[in-house]
Amino acid sequence: MRTSLRLVSLLFLPWLSACSSLFGSDASAARREPSPADQLPQAVPLDAENSRDLYLGIVDKLRQGGKSRAALAYLDDYDNRHPGDVRARVLRADSFLDIQDYDRAESIYRELLTGDQAAAAYDGLGRVAVGRGDWVKARAQFHEAVRREPINVKYLNDLGFAEMRVASFDEALFTLRQASELAPTNAQVRNNLILCLDVAGQGDAAKAMIGRIADAKERRAVEQMVRTARTQIRTPTTAGTSATAAPRRLAQASETQP
């Protein structure tokens, strides 16, 4: 039973919010596997202030590309050079979350709750709760993230999806519409709003939104996403009883697939 629940949990983590070698020589590049960082222009040396942002940006791209363990290795290197950077701490926790090491992710997020990364930490704790199948706790944590950064579309999207998962459809629709107005071109928010309209009994409105998607392939993919998720989302979940927990990047419906 526990194995079955874990498998379903993995199915849902990509719905939420939603990751190369960095500065090696040409000789070393020839001996390693190509990575996303190879597509980026070479940065100035790492001791330059603006290179920190580039380095952490590439680490995040590794995460987004499914190479979170590699991201952790680069974060070890970064911490040796720039200890105490809280942005790197958030990325480290995110990377542990990606590989379902929920205990280590939670420990880091909790260390960040009182600093300037508190909103990101609460959102991370929400995603940890989703990974463990506790949508009620996830909703509370996402709410704290949104309270601290009310115009952060990612946090609004995560909160709206969690509200939908616990069948608070009016709140979910308000939150997702708010996110949609803040980011009209964000396909993840759009897809979650379409799904929420459908499961809340507003199928005509959902179909109208789908009809406004210009690309036919994308439109068919969203229709399939709604059909696949409809039954699962219409069954409310409570703490410790979720049959459908999280996707890798939580409450964000993919642009092309659930």
Side-chain angles (χ1 to χ4, degrees):
M1 176 67 177
R2 182 171 297 177
T3 301
S4 176
L5 174 58
R6 184 173 183 85
L7 291 174
V8 180
S9 296
L10 294 178
L11 179 64
F12 259 84
L13 266 169
W15 291 65
L16 297 186
S17 357
C19 284
S20 136
S21 166
L22 297 179
F23 304 103
S25 66
D26 291 339
S28 64
R31 294 193 300 270
R32 60 173 169 74
E33 181 181 352
S35 66
D38 297 331
Q39 307 302 317
L40 298 175
Q42 289 298 304
V44 294
L46 194 58
D47 59 356
E49 182 62 30
N50 63 359
S51 70
R52 295 193 188 193
D53 292 340
L54 177 63
Y55 194 108
L56 293 177
I58 293 174
V59 169
D60 197 37
K61 286 184 181 297
L62 282 171
R63 287 188 54 244
Q64 294 172 20
K67 297 183 178 180
S68 296
R69 291 176 179 81
L72 286 166
Y74 280 118
L75 286 169
D76 288 342
D77 177 67
Y78 183 88
D79 286 346
N80 288 338
R81 301 166 186 264
H82 304 288
D85 191 325
V86 292
R87 299 171 302 170
R89 296 290 289 162
V90 172
L91 281 174
R92 183 175 295 277
D94 290 344
S95 297
F96 281 130
L97 179 62
D98 294 340
I99 61 175
Q100 300 155 54
D101 192 338
Y102 300 131
D103 290 342
R104 282 201 275 189
E106 179 180 16
S107 177
I108 296 172
Y109 288 135
R110 290 200 178 280
E111 292 173 359
L112 300 171
L113 290 178
T114 58
D116 59 6
Q117 295 293 318
Y122 274 109
D123 187 73
L125 288 174
R127 290 181 287 137
V128 168
V130 171
R132 290 171 172 162
D134 191 341
W135 288 95
V136 173
K137 181 179 286 187
R139 178 191 187 184
Q141 302 288 21
F142 292 144
H143 184 271
E144 285 299 314
V146 169
R147 188 170 71 83
R148 285 162 174 76
E149 293 188 17
I151 60 173
N152 187 304
V153 171
K154 178 184 182 298
Y155 302 160
L156 285 166
N157 188 46
D158 288 352
L159 174 60
F161 193 88
E163 288 170 335
M164 176 172 53
R165 290 295 292 123
V166 298
S168 293
F169 296 127
D170 289 344
E171 291 86 349
L173 286 171
F174 179 89
T175 302
L176 291 171
R177 281 173 171 146
Q178 195 172 51
S180 181
E181 289 178 8
L182 287 167
T185 62
N186 188 307
Q188 293 176 331
V189 171
R190 179 204 64 200
N191 292 353
N192 281 347
L193 179 53
I194 289 171
L195 179 58
C196 191
L197 286 166
D198 181 83
V199 298
Q202 300 184 33
D204 289 343
K207 290 177 182 177
M209 284 192 67
I210 293 174
R212 290 195 291 272
I213 299 174
D215 183 80
K217 182 178 179 181
E218 184 179 7
R219 188 166 59 249
R220 289 192 299 271
V222 173
E223 289 172 340
Q224 179 61 44
M225 176 272 294
V226 171
R227 287 193 295 269
T228 301
R230 182 181 290 138
T231 301
Q232 296 170 325
I233 301 297
R234 279 179 175 164
T235 303
T237 60
T238 56
T241 63
S242 172
T244 54
R248 181 172 171 271
R249 281 179 293 164
L250 280 93
Q252 297 171 354
S254 164
E255 293 91 327
T256 58
Q257 61 183 26

